[in-house]
Amino acid sequence: DVKVTQSSRYLVKRTGEKVFLECVQDMDHENMFWYRQDPGLGLRLIYFSYDVKMKEKGDIPEGYSVSREKKERFSLILESASTNQTSMYLCASSLEGLAGVETQYFGPGTRLLVL
Amino acid sequence: GNSVTQMEGPVTLSEEAFLTINCTYTATGYPSLFWYVQYPGEGLQLLLKATKADDKGSNKGFEATYRKETTSFHLEKGSVQVSDSAVYFCALGRHNAGKSTFGDGTTLTVKP
């Protein structure tokens, strides 16, 4: 079974802190994604990566950056956390499908509270 | 661009009731369509998918048929259980685009 793990389930940070959210997948997937999930807004894509050191902006990249130095690991960075970044953060990975878009496999999520 | 519109929730049903959650989409080309489910406190997981028109995806008693003529992928289950209480997301993905577009999610609560 594919396993996607996230470094923390719950995190509390202060405004202005630099925050790192880590995601690791164990199935050699090419694609990795970071989403945030907020009530009434569904899932919104922050960034995604289709290969090591490659990244593309999603729908809401402002205030975030990412890093993918190894294929299995995709990090989300909040350079200076703000209260409006309080949210549930979900990481996902997928194969690069030849016949169509492949299923995404999600981690359990990190609930971040910025005070 | 691509978009997915889901039936607004929350939806509350009694056990053994029939479930329909509507999903319509807008996309160019021939997207793949997915239903994901999120149980309380967990991430999303794939429930079922369909990759071409008229395909039917099915899993755990849930079904959805890819209808190109109505651009829809409605989720159905004949008899829901309390354990089906969760948030359901409809999603589409286009070949060579990598990423998927998700609906806003529909919260289902099933009461005994």
Side-chain angles (χ1 to χ4, degrees):
Chain A
D1 275 355
V2 175
K3 191 157 188 184
V4 179
T5 56
Q6 295 183 227
S7 50
S8 306
R9 292 299 300 269
Y10 301 95
L11 213 49
V12 180
K13 296 292 181 182
R14 299 222 173 261
T15 303
E17 279 193 76
K18 190 168 186 175
V19 182
F20 293 86
L21 302 183
E22 305 284 340
C23 175
V24 177
Q25 50 95 2
D26 66 358
M27 281 302 289
D28 205 35
H29 284 175
E30 291 85 2
N31 300 326
M32 295 189 76
F33 309 83
W34 274 108
Y35 297 90
R36 62 177 283 177
Q37 182 179 16
D38 300 287
L41 297 177
L43 262 67
R44 293 181 291 168
L45 181 65
I46 304 171
Y47 268 96
F48 71 103
S49 169
Y50 50 88
D51 202 350
V52 175
K53 296 192 187 295
M54 305 303 286
K55 61 186 179 186
E56 283 201 24
K57 293 180 180 179
D59 302 317
I60 52 163
E62 297 79 20
Y64 303 94
S65 62
V66 290
S67 171
R68 193 163 179 204
E69 296 296 318
K70 294 185 177 181
K71 191 174 185 180
E72 67 271 18
R73 187 180 297 269
F74 191 36
S75 303
L76 180 70
I77 304 153
L78 286 66
E79 296 288 343
S80 177
S82 63
T83 54
N84 63 13
Q85 293 179 307
T86 290
S87 186
M88 169 73 92
Y89 290 88
L90 292 168
C91 175
S93 71
S94 72
L95 281 170
E96 182 58 32
L98 297 177
V101 173
E102 296 291 332
T103 301
Q104 293 192 18
Y105 294 85
F106 285 81
T110 296
R111 192 168 290 281
L112 173 66
L113 172 63
V114 182
L115 300 174
Chain B
N2 297 338
S3 67
V4 174
T5 303
Q6 274 184 246
M7 175 172 138
E8 279 192 36
V11 175
T12 303
L13 295 173
S14 297
E15 209 165 19
E16 299 183 4
F18 184 85
L19 169 72
T20 300
I21 301 178
N22 290 339
C23 172
T24 57
Y25 68 89
T26 302
T28 55
Y30 303 96
S32 297
L33 299 173
F34 304 81
W35 277 102
Y36 289 86
V37 59
Q38 184 180 32
Y39 298 105
E42 299 182 13
L44 281 69
Q45 58 185 270
L46 179 70
L47 181 59
L48 52 85
K49 71 177 184 181
T51 56
K52 61 183 188 296
D54 299 325
D55 266 3
K56 178 187 281 189
S58 61
N59 186 24
K60 300 181 182 179
F62 291 89
E63 292 183 340
T65 301
Y66 188 159
R67 301 281 188 206
K68 192 163 170 54
E69 64 276 11
T70 54
T71 61
S72 65
F73 193 54
H74 304 321
L75 182 68
E76 296 183 337
K77 186 174 186 182
S79 176
V80 293
Q81 305 300 312
V82 172
S83 57
D84 294 327
S85 298
V87 183
Y88 292 83
F89 291 89
C90 185
L92 71 83
R94 284 202 308 114
H95 181 44
N96 288 333
K99 53 185 180 173
S100 294
T101 300
F102 288 81
D104 289 343
T106 302
T107 300
L108 170 67
T109 302
V110 180
K111 297 193 170 179

